[in-house]
């Protein structure tokens, strides 16, 4: 058994917890803002850089991919080293990569900078959850998860609006979409330095991070996504390229599982993810990840290219979905804290999510905006009720010493679902758009070049007749990808229904086996030991399990 050395601060008071929580929420706001501020601006950005629909997708996918690959590493490091220092490192990576993205001169450079930015975002998304779990017991965490959802909703509402305003402001321009998060991140860095006090438990034995496993996972997923992006356009389904890419991806992921099963410190602990609650939460998170990322990315494109609205207007039109996230996450969080029950809210959230996607699956370029708004609100309600609570369900079932690995595993698969979802849906959209544009141009008697779907997204530069054809193609194709999302979201419902009904514990950690045995023995002897232990769970925060 590994030895641990406890160093660092005493347990935080309620006031200190709230102060530190404000810094953590600001960090989470920065991470979310980096994606949402770009989502509405992307059509303008890719148009200015003369990029294609495939590159449009990869600007998002690159960030999600590196965030996904790095999330379990950050989580494992959080179980071994100072969580505070790791959060500060993640912020620093984000701050350095953001200006690089803003200075990009080509779509390729932007994709590369966004990939580096994703490493920092992956750390922030995982470590904020880990730090909160180390400060607050699961039963009380429901209330704070409501605040967490509120901040995420603020970032997702404010991000598109801010991105739209920046793009529409001539003396700023789209590059400021990447610069704007830097000062906010700097403030968060200072605030956390002053307020966050978490005990550090350093391993006394030889610590080894499973970089090989993380590399194999990232390589396997990357190869699969590259294949998804280019199959049926650059090469055929039955080509040698397909065989090489799919076969190579399967081989790399199989090797990753083999390495993880034998690693002393696996980056994705198979023992933890094989547990029923964790496995089901992962399945549910895949569906929610697709909702969270795919919705923001493709709805912004739908409103601008498919409906002809400006970036600012597109940001305003996404408010119903974000309002749903804000409302449901706060209300559900408070009800969970009051009742201690979590499964009913996750089940209800996944059902509403499927319904919202099914409604969005019927839209085209002429659909009433009221109908689109109702459907988006339903998707937001589903995400708000399910996303954070799936993580909470897992945190309630593992010891505090495994919180980092367990939380980051769920975040890993949620990001993976988002990554695959955006890539697959983007590829489907590109093919649908290409086919419909070709048909529209042919019907109008306009010559086609054969690559209509992968051309420039600078719609304003096209002739009026062609603009109408392109807008109709994007508007109609968007409904198809949300119908696919609805089918995949059904998996989230199945996972939620199969979750075991549990009551959230009131202590930070699971009962220690030795303590439990002593309590049972004392109870047999007639001693009131159980009451004493149950009444004072706080000392567990300073145990070697933390």
């Amino acid at each position: 058994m590994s030895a641990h050395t406890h160093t660092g601060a005493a347990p935080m008071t309620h006031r200190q917890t709230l102060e530190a929580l404000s810094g953590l929420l600001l960090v989470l706001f920065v991470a979310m803002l980096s994606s949402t501020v770009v989502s509405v601006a992307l059509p303008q950005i890719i148009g200015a850089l003369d990029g294609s629909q495939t590159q449009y997708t990869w600007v998002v996918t690159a960030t999600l991919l590196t965030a996904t690959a790095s999330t379990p590493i950050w989580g494992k490091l959080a179980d071994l080293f100072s969580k505070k220092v790791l959060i500060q490192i993640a912020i620093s990576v984000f701050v350095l990569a953001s200006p690089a993205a803003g200075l990009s001169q080509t779509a390729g450079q932007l994709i590369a900078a966004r990939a580096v930015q994703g490493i920092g975002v992956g750390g922030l998304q995982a470590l904020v959850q880990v730090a909160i779990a180390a400060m607050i017991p699961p039963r009380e965490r429901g209330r704070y998860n409501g605040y967490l959802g509120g901040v995420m909703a603020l970032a997702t509402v404010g991000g598109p609006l801010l991105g739209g305003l920046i793009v529409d402001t001539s003396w700023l321009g789209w590059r400021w979409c990447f610069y704007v998060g830097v000062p906010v991140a700097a403030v968060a860095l200072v605030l956390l330095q002053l307020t966050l006090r978490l005990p550090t438990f350093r391993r006394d034995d030889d610590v080894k991070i499973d970089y090989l496993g993380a590399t194999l996972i990232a390589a396997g997923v990357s190869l699969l996504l590259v294949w998804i992006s280019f199959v049926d356009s650059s090469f055929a389904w039955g080509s040698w390229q397909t065989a090489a890419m799919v076969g190579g991806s399967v081989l790399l992921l199989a090797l990753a599982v083999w390495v993880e099963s034998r690693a002393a410190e696996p980056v994705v602990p198979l023992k933890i993810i094989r547990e029923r609650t964790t496995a089901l939460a992962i399945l549910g998170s895949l569906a929610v990840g697709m909702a969270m990322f795919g919705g923001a990315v493709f709805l912004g494109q739908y409103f601008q290219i498919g409906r002809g609205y400006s970036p600012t207007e597109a940001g305003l039109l996404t408010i119903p979905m974000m309002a749903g996230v804000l409302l449901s996450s706060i209300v559900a969080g408070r009800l969970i804290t009051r009742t201690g029950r979590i499964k009913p809210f996750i089940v209800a959230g996944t059902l509403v999510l499927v319904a919202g996607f099914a409604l969005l699956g019927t839209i085209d370029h002429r659909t009433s905006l009221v109908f689109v708004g109702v459907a988006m609100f339903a998707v937001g309600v589903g995400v708000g009720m399910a996303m954070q609570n799936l993580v909470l369900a897992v945190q309630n079932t593992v010891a505090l010493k495994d919180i980092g690995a367990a939380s980051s595993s769920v975040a890993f698969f949620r990001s993976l679902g988002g990554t695959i979802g955006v890539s697959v849906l983007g590829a489907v959209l590109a093919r649908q758009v290409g086919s419909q544009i070709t048909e529209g141009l042919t019907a109008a008697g306009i010559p086609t070049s054969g690559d209509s779907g992968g051309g420039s997204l600078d719609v304003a530069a096209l002739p009026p007749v062609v603009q109408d054809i392109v807008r109709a193609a994007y508007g109609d194709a968007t409904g198809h990808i949300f119908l696919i999302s609805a089918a995949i979201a059904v998996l989230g419902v199945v996972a939620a229904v199969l979750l075991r009904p549990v009551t959230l514990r009131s202590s930070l950690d699971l009962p220690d086996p030795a303590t439990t045995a002593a309590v049972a023995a004392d109870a047999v002897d007639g001693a009131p030991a159980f009451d004493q232990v149950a009444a004072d769970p706080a000392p567990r925060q300073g145990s070697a399990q933390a």
Side-chain angles (χ1 to χ4, degrees):
M1 183 175 290
S2 302
H4 294 72
T5 301
H6 176 198
T7 64
M12 296 172 64
T13 65
H14 178 66
R15 179 176 177 179
Q16 290 173 332
T17 298
L18 290 177
E19 290 174 346
L21 188 66
S22 64
L24 292 171
L25 293 179
L26 190 58
V27 165
L28 185 65
F29 177 78
V30 169
M32 292 293 296
L33 191 70
S34 69
S35 297
T36 59
V37 77
V38 175
S39 62
V40 167
L42 262 182
Q44 297 281 336
I45 294 172
I46 297 300
L49 296 176
D50 198 26
S52 65
Q53 175 64 46
T54 298
Q55 288 174 318
Y56 179 103
T57 301
W58 270 95
V59 169
V60 180
T61 302
T63 307
L64 288 175
L65 184 62
T66 53
T68 300
S70 63
T71 290
I73 296 179
W74 289 110
K76 173 55 66 176
L77 290 172
D79 285 336
L80 305 176
F81 303 111
S82 168
K83 299 172 180 63
K84 178 176 178 177
V85 171
L86 290 171
I87 291 173
Q88 291 171 324
I89 292 173
I91 294 174
S92 300
V93 172
F94 174 85
V95 168
L96 291 173
S98 296
L103 294 171
S104 300
Q105 300 300 310
T106 65
Q109 291 175 5
L110 178 59
I111 291 170
R114 292 280 289 171
V116 177
Q117 195 178 45
I119 297 174
V121 171
L124 296 178
Q125 290 178 340
L127 295 170
V128 167
Q129 302 262 14
V130 172
I132 291 175
M135 295 191 301
I136 304 166
R139 179 68 177 263
E140 294 299 317
R141 215 172 294 150
R143 179 198 313 164
Y144 293 102
N145 273 349
Y147 300 148
L148 213 64
V151 167
M152 296 177 76
L154 179 62
T156 46
V157 171
L161 289 175
L162 182 60
L165 287 171
I166 289 173
V167 170
D168 286 339
T169 303
S170 59
W171 51 273
L172 286 175
W174 63 263
R175 298 184 187 277
W176 275 94
C177 289
F178 301 103
Y179 302 149
V180 72
V182 175
V184 181
V187 171
L189 191 63
V190 174
L191 189 58
L192 287 174
Q193 176 61 33
L194 297 175
T195 62
L196 188 60
R197 300 177 183 87
L198 291 176
T200 301
F201 295 87
R202 293 197 179 94
R203 293 278 292 273
D204 294 333
D205 54 354
D206 184 25
V207 176
K208 293 182 179 178
I209 305 298
D210 181 24
Y211 295 110
L212 177 59
T215 302
L216 288 171
I217 292 171
V221 173
S222 299
L223 191 57
L224 185 63
L225 295 181
V226 169
W227 172 73
I228 290 170
S229 297
F230 294 104
V231 68
D232 203 30
S233 57
S234 298
F235 48 82
W237 288 88
S239 63
W240 68 266
Q241 291 97 328
T242 291
M245 289 185 178
V246 175
S249 179
V250 171
L251 178 61
L252 287 169
L253 293 175
L255 283 173
V257 173
W258 183 81
V259 168
E260 294 299 273
S261 67
R262 286 159 176 77
E265 298 286 352
V267 73
V268 179
L270 299 182
K271 179 181 178 182
I272 292 177
I273 67 173
R274 277 198 298 259
E275 294 178 0
R276 175 172 171 171
T277 299
T278 310
L280 291 172
I282 284 171
L283 182 60
S285 294
L286 287 170
V288 175
M290 180 174 291
M292 184 171 61
F293 298 111
V297 171
F298 296 111
L299 279 172
Q301 192 175 25
Y302 167 77
F303 285 127
Q304 288 180 71
I305 298 181
R307 303 298 293 262
Y309 291 102
S310 71
T312 302
E313 291 168 337
L316 289 168
L317 288 168
T318 59
I319 285 180
M321 185 168 73
M322 310 319 167
V325 175
L326 176 63
L327 181 65
S328 64
S329 60
I330 292 177
V331 172
R334 290 189 173 276
L335 290 174
I336 287 169
T337 295
R338 183 181 303 170
T339 64
R341 300 175 64 203
I342 191 170
K343 178 178 176 177
F345 299 95
I346 298 177
V347 172
T350 52
L351 285 170
V352 175
L353 184 63
V354 171
F357 270 141
L359 292 174
L360 284 177
T362 66
I363 66 175
D364 58 26
H365 71 286
R366 291 185 297 266
T367 302
S368 164
L369 291 180
V370 174
F371 179 88
V372 177
V374 170
M376 288 193 299
F377 181 78
V379 170
V381 169
V383 171
M385 293 181 72
M387 182 173 59
Q388 294 303 120
N389 293 325
L390 285 166
V391 179
L392 178 57
V394 172
Q395 291 175 342
N396 188 63
T397 62
V398 300
L400 194 56
K401 66 183 178 64
D402 294 323
I403 283 285
S407 302
S408 64
S409 293
V410 178
F412 169 82
F413 285 100
R414 184 176 66 210
S415 294
L416 182 62
T419 306
I420 295 174
V422 170
S423 185
V424 170
L425 296 179
V428 171
L429 182 66
R431 288 168 182 73
Q432 286 271 357
V433 166
S435 174
Q436 292 187 32
I437 288 178
T438 300
E439 291 176 6
L441 292 176
T442 302
I446 302 173
T448 59
S449 60
D451 63 344
S452 310
S456 173
L457 296 185
D458 189 5
V459 180
L462 300 173
V465 176
V466 179
Q467 281 189 33
D468 292 339
I469 293 172
V470 171
R471 294 194 190 285
Y474 272 95
D476 296 348
T478 303
H480 293 287
I481 65 173
F482 284 123
L483 204 55
I484 296 172
S485 298
I488 296 174
V490 172
L491 292 175
V493 177
V494 174
V497 170
L498 294 176
L499 282 172
R500 287 195 181 98
V502 295
T503 300
L504 298 182
R505 64 180 189 251
S506 299
S507 59
L508 280 173
D509 206 356
L510 289 171
D512 182 74
T515 303
T516 303
V519 169
D522 288 340
V524 171
D525 295 336
F530 178 80
D531 292 337
Q532 181 178 351
V533 173
D536 187 20
R540 298 296 303 155
Q541 186 175 12
S543 72
Q545 298 280 348

